[in-house]
Amino acid sequence: MILYICQTLDGFIAKPDGSIDFLDQFNDLIANSNNDDIKNTYTNFMADIENVVEGYTTYKQLETMGYGEAYKGYNHYVLTNKHRDERNDHVTRFVSFEELKELDLNSASTFLVGGSKVITEAFKQKLVTKLIITQLPIFLGAGIKLFDNVTSEVDMTITNIISDDKFYQVEYKIEYK
């Protein structure tokens, strides 16, 4: 599974209330980057994705923001233990982490979308095989950290770095000990 995410320079992925509206200011900067690799990084990344695994809280947040069909056309799994009977035309299945592991999805074509709790559990379950982090040139000062109590021992190897005058993105290969 690949975790592709943006974080602020001080390590946050969301504001204290969970909102991600601060990301909007960077969409135009990325779209107008002088580096085509930065400009097209998300589009190129999604071209190789078959499966999207999304945390339930993020799923509901994106629906509220009007992005409920963002993963239409992908095998879309929403992680939840409580909302198993919920139905949505754009969701393949609502699953627990245990069921997700049983699905044995191709990790190289599976995109993990979620907050700190989902990310922590995915590392605990040793499901993340690649990490792609785009550093945003902003400090939030408070909020939800990208990593919160990740206790899995991992070796990370940098496999790619791209940058322009505003952003840099680092890609890591993950190996669990």
Side-chain angles (χ1 to χ4, degrees):
M1 205 175 308
I2 303 166
L3 174 59
Y4 180 107
I5 198 161
C6 295
Q7 79 171 359
T8 63
L9 282 173
D10 52 352
F12 296 105
I13 58 172
K15 290 181 178 177
D17 65 358
S19 69
I20 56 172
D21 57 354
F22 67 93
L23 294 174
D24 293 339
Q25 64 185 305
F26 297 105
N27 290 337
D28 286 340
L29 288 175
I30 289 171
N32 295 313
S33 173
N34 59 5
N35 182 330
D36 285 343
D37 289 334
I38 291 284
K39 188 183 302 186
N40 300 316
T41 185
Y42 185 74
T43 303
N44 292 343
F45 169 74
M46 290 304 290
D48 293 332
I49 295 299
E50 295 173 20
N51 311 299
V52 175
V53 174
E54 182 176 32
Y56 187 81
T57 301
T58 302
Y59 158 73
K60 287 310 242 183
Q61 183 179 28
L62 291 178
E63 261 194 348
T64 301
M65 294 171 63
Y67 297 113
E69 296 185 18
Y71 302 117
K72 183 179 178 180
Y74 298 94
N75 298 317
H76 183 193
Y77 301 93
V78 176
L79 291 164
T80 182
N81 288 320
K82 298 178 186 172
H83 308 279
R84 308 302 300 284
D85 296 329
E86 193 167 322
R87 297 287 174 246
N88 182 312
D89 291 341
H90 306 297
V91 175
T92 305
R93 197 163 143 202
F94 291 83
V95 297
S96 66
F97 265 103
E98 291 74 31
E99 291 171 313
L100 180 66
K101 287 173 71 171
E102 289 174 12
L103 290 172
D104 196 30
L105 305 174
N106 177 349
S107 65
S109 66
T110 302
F111 173 28
L112 176 64
V113 182
S116 187
K117 289 179 186 175
V118 166
I119 293 166
T120 298
E121 187 62 25
F123 271 94
K124 181 180 176 184
Q125 299 282 336
K126 300 181 178 181
L127 295 173
V128 179
T129 56
K130 186 188 288 186
L131 171 61
I132 302 171
I133 301 176
T134 301
Q135 290 292 144
L136 302 176
I138 186 175
F139 290 107
L140 285 183
I144 299 171
K145 290 276 192 185
L146 171 56
F147 297 111
D148 185 31
N149 298 318
V150 174
T151 57
S152 301
E153 268 193 71
V154 297
D155 283 332
M156 293 190 202
T157 305
I158 295 173
T159 58
N160 193 29
I161 299 173
I162 57 175
S163 65
D164 68 4
D165 59 345
K166 296 276 186 199
F167 302 96
Y168 68 94
Q169 184 180 81
V170 181
E171 184 176 310
Y172 299 90
K173 178 181 173 188
I174 306 289
E175 292 184 23
Y176 295 90
K177 294 182 180 185

